[in-house]
Amino acid sequence: MASDDAAAVRVVGGWASPFVMRVCVALRLKGVAYEFLQEEPGKKSELLLASNPVHKQIPVLLHGGRPVCESLVILQYVDEAFSGARPRILPVDPYDRAVHRFWAEYADAKLPTALRTLRGMIDGDKAAAAEQVAAALAQLEEAFTACSKGQHFFAGDDIGFLDIVLGSYVGWFRAAERITAQTVLDEMRTPRLAAWAARFCGHESVRDVMPDAGRLVEFGEALRAALAANANAQRM
């Protein structure tokens, strides 16, 4: 474990956020100890607002008191700031690095809104959202075949950048399955991704920070109720 640097590392976030989970997994993968500062759902602390005044969103990584914002940026920062710790998060080869970044941005473009629709967090056509998630996962199944080169993870023999990005959604895939009673990670349609997800969740850097699906469902229900109460209060 890192010592002096690790003592100065803090993560501002929320346990249910896939974007926050990414930061925690990256730090654990590098063996960097950190302090987790839980934000109260629906509220923004003074520390968060001061640390991320532009977007006012979690996660924020504080390293030596200096804030780094946005999960993909933070993953790259952790890889570089703790470059002496192995494994690497991003591929060494520039082309491989570009490919992994492409698919990470693809996942973030296609999955969050559709998953929120499936979970009932926003209004929308749930059937269309399910089709969008299925289509995106089919593309990512092909990407896994190309990127993994026959090994267990997108990054090869250990998890890396793209594993962490896509893997952060697995908890919410499982929660969406409970809410909709429909399979999201389908072993018939995307067998390689389904097997990869099980390996990812069992990884030592992941298993203690992967949210339980039942707890995520409860969190979503509580958040929906709070949002509805807020909306009713504003109309009065």
Side-chain angles (χ1 to χ4, degrees), residues 79-156:
D79 201 23
E80 295 171 5
F82 302 98
S83 58
R86 291 291 182 267
R88 288 184 62 96
I89 293 174
L90 283 153
V92 175
D93 181 79
Y95 179 76
D96 289 344
R97 198 157 58 240
V99 169
H100 284 224
R101 283 173 171 153
F102 171 85
W103 285 114
E105 290 183 11
Y106 175 85
D108 277 357
K110 297 295 183 180
L111 295 175
T113 300
L115 283 172
R116 290 182 71 199
T117 302
L118 287 177
R119 289 157 43 210
M121 298 303 298
I122 56 177
D123 293 331
D125 185 335
K126 286 186 171 58
E131 288 177 9
Q132 181 174 331
V133 171
L137 291 177
Q139 290 279 8
L140 288 160
E141 171 93 349
E142 294 183 17
F144 177 79
T145 301
C147 293
S148 66
K149 301 171 184 175
Q151 300 192 68
H152 288 317
F153 300 103
F154 282 95

Side-chain angles (χ1 to χ4, degrees), residues 22-64:
R22 295 172 180 178
V23 180
C24 298
V25 171
L27 291 169
R28 287 168 174 261
L29 186 63
K30 288 286 192 178
V32 177
Y34 62 93
E35 179 185 4
F36 189 80
L37 305 175
Q38 172 71 41
E39 285 286 298
E40 187 176 346
K43 297 184 180 180
K44 299 180 188 292
S45 68
E46 290 184 10
L47 177 61
L48 173 61
L49 295 175
S51 302
N52 189 0
V54 176
H55 296 301
K56 304 177 177 64
Q57 293 177 337
I58 55 174
V60 175
L61 176 75
L62 295 168
H63 185 198

Side-chain angles (χ1 to χ4, degrees), residues 60-77:
V60 175
L61 176 75
L62 295 168
H63 185 198
R66 298 186 300 177
V68 184
C69 307
E70 298 296 304
S71 66
L72 298 187
V73 175
I74 295 171
L75 292 186
Q76 295 173 66
Y77 175 83

